[in-house]
Amino acid sequence: MLVSILNGFAIGFLLFILAVGLSLVFGMMDVLNLAHGALFLGGAYVGATLAGSWGGFLGALAIAAVGGLVGGVLLSLMTEPLRKRSHLDQALLTLGVALIAAELLIIAFGDDPLSAAAPPGLDGSVSVLGAVYPTYRLLIIVIGAVLALAVYLVVDRTRVGALVRATVADREMVATLGIDNRLVKGAVFAVGSVLATVAGVLGGPIYGARPGLDATVLILALVVVVIGGLGSVRGALVGALVIGQIDTVGRVLLPDFASFVLFGALALVLVLRPQGLFGTRAVAR
């Protein structure tokens, strides 16, 4: 059971790295980006191709970060004309981008599943409270915890975070101060996209890379965002850890009903608290 709980934390922190960007873009910039899963898959393919050595692993992280930065800026520019239109228009546009990206990845890397190796030194196991546990998954827990603290401090305790929150609250007022709010939106989009591609590289040794993985992780990320609440870093963290535990411990205790438990938790939160555990407004408006 201890190993399952630790696996729940590893999956939960990986989901947090993926979902916090989606939550910030949707909750703060009011853009529903369904291409977020494709960004994760792109990072996973890069990691599966290059990882296996420390040079390859770090190189994959760097390439994924640059790719996420470019992808985020492009998505921000593409969705800007739809800013005042409904979420349906944004969803259709970003879904089309996701489908095109997924096909391009299949052309580039093939349609056979790829596995990714952890860097040397992290491909073994360590003893945790008497249980043997993979070293790489412990690294995911540490990286996720550090990123969660860093994102929280930037959003809630810095002038940059205050500028982003001010842009969300009153875009025109920020514009009167001489600040181009399109740049703010582009920066938030880029950071969220970089986190998604980096999560793809980090998740490679756990999930591998295969067609359809983008849709799987996108659904999990949307569940995390709905449970945690839009635009809340704390909500994204709590939601991701809850889903991580349900997805792993639930499969051990109730292997035939794990999916029902997962979406049952989502339905329960929507009924009792439609805005999510830490959100200030409901997802559906």
Side-chain angles (χ1 to χ4, degrees):
M1 182 56 70
L2 176 60
V3 172
S4 296
I5 293 174
L6 290 173
N7 278 337
F9 280 114
I11 297 299
F13 276 115
L14 188 61
L15 282 176
F16 168 77
I17 300 172
L18 170 67
V20 68
L22 182 65
S23 179
L24 292 178
V25 170
F26 193 12
M28 291 188 167
M29 298 295 109
D30 203 26
V31 176
L32 178 56
N33 177 25
L34 295 186
H36 208 68
L39 293 168
F40 179 96
L41 183 58
Y45 270 119
V46 172
T49 303
L50 298 180
S53 65
W54 272 105
F57 183 71
L58 296 177
L61 286 175
I63 293 173
V66 173
L69 181 64
V70 174
V73 172
L74 290 176
L75 283 167
S76 177
L77 294 174
M78 293 172 68
T79 56
E80 180 63 22
L82 304 179
R83 189 180 183 90
K84 294 183 178 180
R85 298 173 66 172
S86 69
H87 287 153
L88 177 60
D89 295 326
Q90 299 169 1
L92 290 175
L93 173 63
T94 54
L95 179 60
V97 173
L99 293 174
I100 293 172
E103 288 299 320
L104 291 176
L105 289 172
I106 290 176
I107 293 174
F109 296 98
D111 54 3
D112 293 329
L114 301 179
S115 59
L122 297 176
D123 51 357
S125 301
V126 295
S127 178
V128 179
L129 299 176
V132 177
Y133 193 71
T135 308
Y136 183 77
R137 296 200 176 208
L138 279 182
L139 176 69
I140 295 295
I141 294 174
V142 173
I143 292 176
V146 171
L147 272 177
L149 179 62
V151 173
Y152 169 75
L153 291 176
V154 169
V155 172
D156 281 29
R157 303 296 176 87
T158 67
R159 296 182 63 181
V160 173
L163 175 61
V164 173
R165 297 197 303 275
T167 303
V168 176
D170 194 333
R171 195 180 190 194
E172 285 70 24
M173 183 275 291
V174 172
T176 62
L177 299 177
I179 299 173
D180 190 342
N181 44 45
R182 290 175 299 182
L183 293 178
V184 177
K185 176 197 170 193
V188 173
F189 231 120
V191 171
S193 299
V194 168
L195 288 174
T197 52
V198 167
V201 176
L202 295 175
I206 297 176
Y207 288 114
R210 65 181 188 279
L213 179 62
D214 51 338
T216 301
V217 297
L218 177 63
I219 292 173
L220 291 175
L222 289 172
V223 172
V224 167
V225 170
V226 172
I227 290 180
L230 291 178
S232 170
V233 177
R234 182 172 51 172
L237 177 61
V238 173
L241 294 180
V242 168
I243 295 304
Q245 293 299 335
I246 291 176
D247 193 43
T248 55
V249 178
R251 291 183 187 278
V252 173
L253 299 179
L254 300 168
D256 295 331
F257 300 96
S259 296
F260 294 99
V261 175
L262 179 68
F263 290 104
L266 172 65
L268 184 64
V269 171
L270 284 175
V271 170
L272 298 179
R273 193 172 169 80
Q275 70 272 37
L277 297 176
F278 298 95
T280 57
R281 61 185 174 90
V283 175
R285 299 178 300 174

